[in-house]
Amino acid sequence: MAELAALWIVRHGESTANVAAARAESSGAELIGLTHRDADVPLSPTGEEQARATARWLNGLPPHRRPDVAVTSPYLRAVRTAELALDGTGIPVSRDERLRDRELGVLDGLTPHGVRARYPDEAERRTRLGKFYYRPPGGEAWTDVALRLRALLGDLRRDHAGRRVVLFGHDALVFVLRYLVEGLTEAELVALTRRDLIMNCAVTGWSTGGADRLALDCFNDVSHLRQEGTRPTREDEVRAKPV
C-alpha cells in the first residue's frame, strides 16, 4: 500500500477537564469532579489561545509542506482545537470516531488515589498486566486503541496516498501512533509514556522525505506556542488518568 507523504497529530488544547484533573490530583481528591461527559468537555481559555497559535503555525507553512487534509476526533475539545487551528488555512476537515480518547470505563473521572481507594483489585490487576494490555471494566486497553488507529491508518493510506494529513486528537493517540508508525515494541512504548507527558497542542509529525516509509520529524513539539508567546501546558494529565 502506498504511503502518506506526511502525517501529523496535534493534541487538543488545554481543556477544562485537564485543569480539574490537575487540581484534584494535587489536592489528593478521589474524584476529578467533571461537569461534562468526556465527549463534551470544552477547551479552557488557555486552550483556545493555544489552538489559535497552532493556526498561525499552520498558516506559516510553505504550500509544499502544508497539510492537504485534516481529520479530528469527534470530542468537543479536539473539534474546537481543529476549528481554531485550521481557521484561514482552507484545509478540509472531517471527523472520525476512531480518533476519540481512550475510554476508561468504571475508572473514568477518578484520580490514581481514587482508583486505589475505590477499586483496589483493579489497581492490582493493572500493575500485574501492565499498562499496555490492562483493560478497565467497560473501558479500553491500549491495544484496543491500537486496533482502531491501525484501521484508520490503513484508510488514510488508501484514500490519501502521497498526500499530507494532520490529525487532531488526544495524548494516548500520540503514543499509540508512534507505536504503529515506527514499529515500536510494548517496552519501548511504555518507556515513552513514562518519560514524556504530551503537551496541549503539541505537534508530533512524520514524513517520508522521498523514502518509502514515514520517519519521525518531531515529537511533542510546542515551539510554535512559545514563538507566539502562548503558555504551553501539560497539567500532568497522564498521571491524573490512572491507566
Side-chain angles (χ1 to χ4, degrees):
M1 184 177 293
E3 185 57 273
L4 301 168
L7 176 68
W8 298 267
I9 182 168
V10 179
R11 187 194 176 195
H12 62 79
E14 183 189 69
S15 71
T16 57
N18 292 159
V19 176
R23 187 182 301 120
E25 175 70 5
S26 64
S27 68
E30 293 183 7
L31 290 172
I32 294 173
L34 301 176
T35 57
H36 302 80
R37 66 172 185 159
D38 197 23
D40 299 328
V41 170
L43 294 180
S44 70
T46 296
E48 296 223 348
E49 182 182 347
Q50 292 166 339
R52 291 188 180 94
T54 304
R56 291 188 284 274
W57 164 69
L58 281 170
N59 275 296
L61 291 175
H64 69 279
R65 293 194 58 232
R66 186 176 296 185
D68 300 300
V69 65
V71 187
T72 182
S73 159
Y75 284 16
L76 178 59
R77 56 193 179 275
V79 170
R80 183 59 176 159
T81 300
E83 288 174 346
L84 293 171
L86 297 172
D87 185 42
T89 65
I91 299 169
V93 59
S94 62
R95 303 181 190 188
D96 195 303
E97 73 283 350
R98 291 172 293 185
L99 283 171
R100 70 189 185 277
D101 206 355
R102 181 177 166 233
E103 297 174 3
L104 297 180
V106 299
L107 306 186
D108 190 34
L110 296 177
T111 64
H113 172 63
V115 173
R116 291 189 295 270
R118 300 187 182 203
Y119 295 98
D121 290 346
E122 287 303 312
E124 187 281 330
R125 191 165 71 91
R126 190 267 188 185
T127 299
R128 177 166 48 85
L129 295 178
K131 185 185 190 85
F132 193 57
Y133 289 107
Y134 169 71
R135 181 183 295 112
E140 293 181 296
W142 284 62
T143 50
D144 297 317
V145 178
L147 284 172
R148 52 180 161 95
L149 287 185
R150 193 183 298 277
L152 175 65
L153 279 173
D155 288 351
L156 292 176
R157 285 165 167 150
R158 181 196 64 209
D159 297 339
H160 302 291
R163 305 180 76 197
R164 298 175 295 276
V165 178
V166 60
L167 308 176
F168 291 87
H170 310 271
D171 56 343
L173 306 189
V174 178
F175 291 119
V176 176
L177 277 175
R178 287 206 59 182
Y179 167 77
L180 294 173
V181 172
E182 299 167 43
L184 302 182
T185 65
E186 174 194 354
E188 289 169 333
L189 172 62
V190 171
L192 270 181
T193 67
R194 289 174 176 166
R195 188 188 69 203
D196 296 290
L197 294 168
I198 305 301
M199 310 282 276
N200 293 111
C201 274
V203 177
T204 297
W206 304 261
S207 65
T208 59
D212 58 358
R213 63 176 298 172
L214 292 168
L216 186 70
D217 289 328
C218 62
F219 172 57
N220 203 20
D221 184 10
V222 290
S223 58
H224 59 291
L225 302 185
R226 295 191 173 96
Q227 288 170 4
E228 295 294 333
T230 302
R231 180 172 66 91
T233 55
R234 69 177 194 179
E235 65 34 83
D236 287 9
E237 183 184 14
V238 172
R239 292 173 187 163
K241 284 186 176 181
V243 290

